[in-house]
Amino acid sequence: MFAARRRAVCAARQLQRTSRTYASEAHGHHSPAPVNESFGKGSVIALGAFLGTVLVYQFRPQESDTWTNVIAKYRSKPEDWEAINSLHTKTMEQAGYDRNLFENGSSKHRFVDVAYPEAFQSHAQRNIQAGHLASMDHVVEHYRQQHLKAEEKKAARLAAAKKEE
């Protein structure tokens, strides 16, 4: 650290020092008298062109395909998002209704009485060699039998309730 610092100091000493000259050191010369300077023709023309463009744009007749309408056409609006979200909600409700129809149409075909059948084997599928997953057929059969017994009890209760009426 110290060696590097010493080398930097030596290198700085070897650099040439330039003397500074300042314009204010000119002795004996007087500055010229102040002169009134105008903005010039170019700046006046530019300012007039800008203001003229603004006025022409402000008082022109409205057209149907202006830049603001083109920009507004591609900008998302809350009404559009509301319509899209309501359509999406209706679609999801209809999909849920259809799925419920297909799954619960016949009580004999539904044989796993859990929230979702994939719950038995819900784990990461990485690094599992072929043939190393346990067979879940006996578990599925057990729940199918439980479901059939529950359906028979429900049918018996309904038949008994109809006889009493």
Side-chain angles (χ1 to χ4, degrees), residues 10-89:
C10 288
R13 280 187 203 140
Q14 291 175 356
L15 291 175
Q16 285 185 349
R17 307 266 175 162
T18 57
S19 61
R20 296 183 181 175
T21 59
Y22 299 99
S24 64
E25 291 180 0
H27 300 291
H29 297 290
H30 298 287
S31 61
V35 177
N36 287 337
E37 295 182 9
S38 66
F39 282 109
K41 292 179 184 176
S43 59
V44 171
I45 290 172
L47 182 64
F50 175 74
L51 292 176
T53 305
V54 169
L55 286 174
V56 166
Y57 183 77
Q58 188 74 22
F59 294 114
R60 68 173 173 69
Q62 294 293 326
E63 296 175 9
S64 63
D65 199 23
T66 61
W67 285 108
T68 54
N69 290 339
V70 170
I71 292 171
K73 184 168 54 171
Y74 292 105
R75 190 183 321 155
S76 65
K77 299 178 185 125
E79 299 86 23
D80 296 341
W81 282 106
E82 186 176 340
I84 290 169
N85 288 338
S86 65
L87 286 174
H88 186 261
T89 303

Side-chain angles (χ1 to χ4, degrees), residues 5 11 51 54 62 87 98 100 114 125 145 159 164:
R5 187 178 295 167
L51 292 176
V54 169
Q62 294 293 326
L87 286 174
D98 293 344
N100 191 19
V114 293
Q125 297 294 323
Q145 292 298 329
E164 291 177 3

